[in-house]
Amino acid sequence: MATFDGYQVLEELGSGSFGVVYKAIEKATGETVAIKLIDLEDSHDELSDIQAEISLLSTCKSPYVTEYKTSFVKGVKLWIVMEYLGGGSALDLMKPGPFGEAHIAIVCKQLLLGLEYLHATGKIHRDIKAANVLLTDSGKVKLADFGVAAQLHDYKSQRHTFVGTPYWMAPEVIQENGYDFKADVWSLGITALEMAKGEPPNAHIHAMKALFIIPKDPAPRLEGDSWSKDFKDFIAQCLIKDPDRRASAKELLDHRFIRRAGKVEAMRELIERKQMFDAQQDTTKHLRYYEETMVDLSPKTEEDEWIFDTIKQSTIIPARQTMKRRKMARIPSSEAADSCASMMQHLDMNAAPLGSVTDSPMPERRRPVSRKSSSSTQVYTPTGSTPTAHRISSPSKKPLGVDLSFGNSPSTVRHFKRVSSGERRAALSSNPPVNSNSFHPNPNAKTFRPTPPNSANPLDFNDENEPPAPVYQQPVPITKDALYGRRAYSKVMDSVFQEAYANSASPHQREALGGVHQAWAHLDQVDPQGEFLLIKAMVDRLQNDSKLASVLGVAVTPASTPKHSTKSCETSLSGATVHGTSTTRIRSSTTTTSSTYSKASSEYTSTPVGTPTGTSSGSPLKGPKLVLAQNNPHLKSHRRRQSAIVTGEKLYGPDGYALDEKKLPGHVEPGMEQQGLLADILYGQWMQGLKNRWPLS
Amino acid sequence: MHANASFQVEEELARDLQQMKLRLQGTPGSYSPLPHSLDWFASHVHLLIVPFLEAEVNQELVFQLLSFIIQEDLLYYLANNIHKLPFESRKDAQVIFSTAFRYKPVGASDPQVLHHVIQFRPEIIISLCRGYDRRESAMPCGGVLREALKYDSIAALLLYDEPTTDGKTRDLGDVNPDEPSSGNGVFWRFFDWIDKGAFEVSADAFNTFRDILTKHKALVAQYLQTNFDMFFTRYNAVLVQSESYVTKRQSIKLLGEILLDRANYSVMTQYVDSGEHLKIIMKLLRDDRRMINYEGFHVFKVFVANPNKSVAVQRILISNREKLLRFLPNFLEDRTDDEQFMDEKSFLIRQIEQLPGVPVAPPAAA
């Protein structure tokens, strides 16, 4: 097994979508290799994305594809050892000027051979462009950068993920209605144009706008007398908007333009041209070398350690009380209680319920009144001295300051759609669909947890028409309403104001809006609960006015708040933009989630099961289990259990808690309602957060 | 196709498959004949998958082919010898497995071959897991396994596997889910494959491990309850405290996912009652790697948010209250754009501030 010590790491070669690439020598063989170094701590990628690239790479072995050698983890760094390609990328080679037709034909032929291999093994590259075409010293052409490539597991399947680099993307990829291998052929056509012209079509247009133009406009064509008919026809064959009519890589290998292509050795000319060019430019390149990061070895201070000493049993107060909080105030002896008591003294009933307590060490969170951007966030990671590209896997809020014009971002885009409330609800219902063949728990077992009517999805606001909840007179007023208020402000009001502000033209309008926004922000600071009640009252009144209600569309759906919030999310073309030589990716994670979910559940139904029985019946059936005939006793017992569950479930109507309700997460002891409620709200959010943190596999 | 021609094809197929089986089996005592016939083998395995890949699949031919494959028990020999195959043939073998496992006759809703395997030849599934023993076979085997894991009976097969005296895999019908596992079945070997394997092997094994534990919730909830102590002892020792950064980080995250799944509710309550578990997680908060801190936080919050904390947990939290209240405000404070994280952090701070001065036995624990 190769280790770091097995390699002598030389200068930096550049940085790709995943990290920095170094030149290195494998000591055992003396062979020059390229090592991609990914800092897994810094990388905004999910580990599984990186693993997916590696597993894809490791199943490719072709003279037309960059060879993967091995990978290993050292500390927090992942090392990916690849074949070294000394000729640079086709994009590099274009620096002295575009390619001639003869060279383009050679590159295209080699790329088609590479694509033929990939497609035959069920892979789509999805990011073909000159920057991802690498050459060996001797001029051989290889496909590189599998950061966004996909493996189709079923040969007839299609992908629905929005991935690639805008200018090179096929229309069907942008339109997200399913695509297959043919998407690579389109990108190849664009790459051919890029090599001929020096840049892809629409390069002068903002990348996001290009996304709209590509599906709308007629396919680009190569024009002008300087190009042969064959080349023009080749481009035309690649760039057919209907993927079904577009040629496959295999078919294109038979095209006259490709059959006439010369030998790869001719590519040497371009490599030499580039070397001459570099020499003339006299760019004294600053070589960067790999430096190992020093680990901080300073001993940890005692402060850095937790105290896990056991305390004698006797300090425990006998259990039996409901109001825990009061009790602690009565124990002034302990230091902790002291600080608590002092906090209590500082408590002001007018203070913001969620605001930090006066002497709390928690720094107060800024709530800037005039934020610079609307909620349609685009993330711009500023290019530092090391242009390591980050792919950002969750849409984070940063100012809209992206310059996505061609020169600034020759990069790939990933798009993360926010979860709409409907999908969120579906995702939250973690109990799998009940069906006949799957494994069922005993309804009396403690695991079985019916969904309490309201707490199942704390993000649902179905209580719009109920009377306002009584205001809790607790010393620390974290109320449900206050939380909702805060949420409504941060998710909806704030961004609505900002959008309105951004959309209004006249200074007067802006001033007026700004005033309201500021006032609202103040209200949110001071009294989020009141804020929520205000919103609620407004929605209620609006609903009562049938005309307004129908115009606003609030008549039927009471869940106005989440609705708004998703709307504001969907309008954003958010997503993560990246700089460097790298790749922005657009991906609609949610759609896929829900579709895979439903797919899984439909497969569920056809489960060929002979699972051990989950009940305590203790009478497992003998003999073969799997051919489950309709009269199979095993199946029958399944059904019986299932019907037991179904009736069991019916018990939990609006208020019928028949089972051990103390065990349910929704349950809290009297006096602990707020805590329980909070826990439940958070629980729902956590589930969602978790869903977002696992990318799709 | 003429009946005669079709018959010929079948004849040829049968002969080829028998040949293949013989070569895979090898002759006991003699050296393995495989390396000398790799080319022959590669081309024949590839020929096998051709009918599966054709655009218009000849249903009849596929059926014939699969019948032969099952009759000759080829899948079993393939599963055990996949590492010996040349590079491209390993992928071809994966296609054979996937196609076979996915195969449903026209009109039928059940994957017939998979049925047969579960019922009569579960050893194939176990052998596929053993593919993780070698770098060459890990990925093709992993791919096949994860596809098969769509069915809960496959998950059950892996979870309830136990070593038997006759080397046969035990029948699912004999399984008593209330009986604790011996810890020697194939499921428990995943811990080693994840912890000790080369990066690619470890990563792939982890993905399969995660599928086993998350795809079939009721099955897993029952299993985890029965084997709670052994599972979490190993999980903490081997995975959460692994030397490998990737393994550590991934398993903390998976731990959070397992605990937050409502199907695992009682497993979660049992988990967060343990002071020992809390200690392990609190150490993660002080790890010098930020993503470890972050993933650890998502487990730590479950302890703190639990309204009915056990005495042991309260005691640890209370004796560290001051430290926590100093520590948490600055904890990963540059994650300012992660709104949910910020909210949760202030919620936890609030909860810790409100802890009683001394532990109070939880009311529900009686």
Side-chain angles (χ1 to χ4, degrees), chain A residues 438-504:
Chain A
S438 57
F439 195 83
H440 289 299
N442 183 344
N444 293 316
K446 287 169 185 165
T447 33
F448 185 71
R449 184 186 180 278
T451 326
N454 270 323
S455 58
N457 177 14
L459 302 170
D460 267 352
F461 293 75
N462 286 328
D463 52 353
E464 227 82 14
N465 294 320
E466 287 167 15
V471 180
Y472 293 113
Q473 297 295 328
Q474 296 287 339
V476 187
I478 310 171
T479 64
K480 177 183 168 189
D481 287 350
L483 273 185
Y484 288 158
R486 274 282 147 87
R487 189 185 171 85
Y489 179 76
S490 65
K491 299 263 168 182
V492 185
M493 306 307 297
D494 194 23
S495 53
V496 165
F497 279 124
Q498 286 177 28
E499 270 163 35
Y501 190 79
N503 289 335
S504 52

